[in-house]
Amino acid sequence: MREGTVGADTLEKRAERNIILCGFMGCGKSSIGRRLARLAGRSFVDMDEYIEKKAGKTIKEIFAEEGEEAFRQMEEDAASALSRERGLVIASGGGTVLREKSRDALAETGIILLLDVPFPALRERLKNDTSRPLLQRPDRDEAMYSLFLERMPKYKAAAHMVIPAGAPANFVAREILHRLELE
C-alpha cells in the first residue's frame, strides 16, 4: 500500500479529496461508487462511462477498432482530467491504476481505495459477463485468474487503503465512509 497522509488530513481537506475506487473487474467499483457518492453527497464518475462518452463508442468497440493501448491512453487522459476535479467518487477502470501516470494523477488529489474481493466471488460475479474485452477468450477462467494474480499486487501497491468488498454495496459504502471519517 502507498504511504499516504490519509489519517493526517483535516476533515475539510478530506472532504475535497476525490475518492478513487480501484480493483479487479467485478469487485463493485461502480455499484459501490454510486452508493458511496449518494451517501457522501458527492458526484460520481465511472471512468469507463466517461471514456465511452468522450470517444462516442463502447469500450468493447474501442478495443476492437483501436486496440488496448489506445484505450489505456484514453484512461490516462481521463485520470489526468478527473484529477483536476475535487470531491468526486471515481470508479476507475480495472487497469487504470496499473499505469504509473494515471495512478500518480489520481493519487495527487485523491485517496485510492482497493475494493478487495476473493477470486471465487469475482469469477461468480463475472460468469455471464460478455462486455469485458479481456475476458472474451476460450480459456476465460484461466486468463481471468492469471490476470487477477498479476494485478492484485499492483492494486495493493497503488492503494492508500484496502477495503474488503465481498458484502452488499450499501454495507461497503457505509464502511468506506466510516473508515475515511466522512460520516
Side-chain angles (χ1 to χ4, degrees):
M1 280 195 318
R2 281 178 170 266
E3 292 299 318
T5 58
V6 176
D9 285 347
T10 65
L11 188 57
E12 183 178 310
K13 184 172 181 180
R14 239 180 278 151
E16 292 177 10
R17 293 181 68 90
N18 293 326
I19 300 170
I20 298 97
L21 305 179
C22 79
F24 199 74
M25 56 186 101
C27 72
K29 295 179 297 283
S30 297
S31 57
I32 292 167
R34 281 185 181 87
R35 285 168 179 82
L36 177 60
R38 188 176 62 246
L39 290 169
R42 293 174 174 236
S43 295
F44 173 73
V45 178
D46 182 301
M47 280 186 68
D48 287 345
E49 291 173 5
Y50 179 91
I51 291 167
E52 287 178 337
K53 186 175 180 180
K54 286 238 180 244
K57 52 180 113 175
T58 67
I59 290 173
K60 196 172 185 178
E61 291 169 333
I62 295 167
F63 265 75
E65 296 169 15
E66 301 179 46
E68 183 176 358
E69 185 54 38
F71 174 72
R72 298 298 173 204
Q73 183 59 53
M74 291 176 192
E75 269 186 331
E76 206 171 277
D77 295 343
S80 178
L82 292 171
S83 71
R84 292 189 288 272
E85 303 288 329
R86 297 290 183 271
L88 299 174
V89 172
I90 301 170
S92 69
T96 305
V97 300
L98 304 178
R99 288 180 75 127
E100 185 177 3
K101 195 170 180 183
S102 298
R103 178 180 60 246
D104 290 349
L106 291 170
E108 190 175 320
T109 58
I111 301 165
I112 300 175
L113 307 178
L114 168 59
L115 299 181
D116 190 17
V117 176
F119 181 76
L122 294 170
R123 186 178 53 228
E124 180 63 25
R125 289 179 185 184
L126 296 169
K127 70 181 178 185
N128 296 318
D129 190 311
T130 59
S131 68
R132 300 171 198 269
L134 295 177
L135 297 183
Q136 305 316 304
R137 27 186 312 163
D139 62 342
R140 176 188 174 102
D141 283 347
E142 295 82 14
M144 187 166 67
Y145 188 60
S146 177
L147 195 59
F148 176 82
L149 291 177
E150 174 190 324
R151 287 183 171 189
M152 282 308 289
K154 295 174 183 176
Y155 293 144
K156 287 179 181 175
H160 294 104
M161 192 180 296
V162 177
I163 306 292
N170 269 341
F171 179 86
V172 177
R174 289 184 187 284
E175 177 65 18
I176 291 169
L177 285 178
H178 175 72
R179 297 264 307 262
L180 294 179
E181 300 175 1
L182 293 172
E183 356 180 55

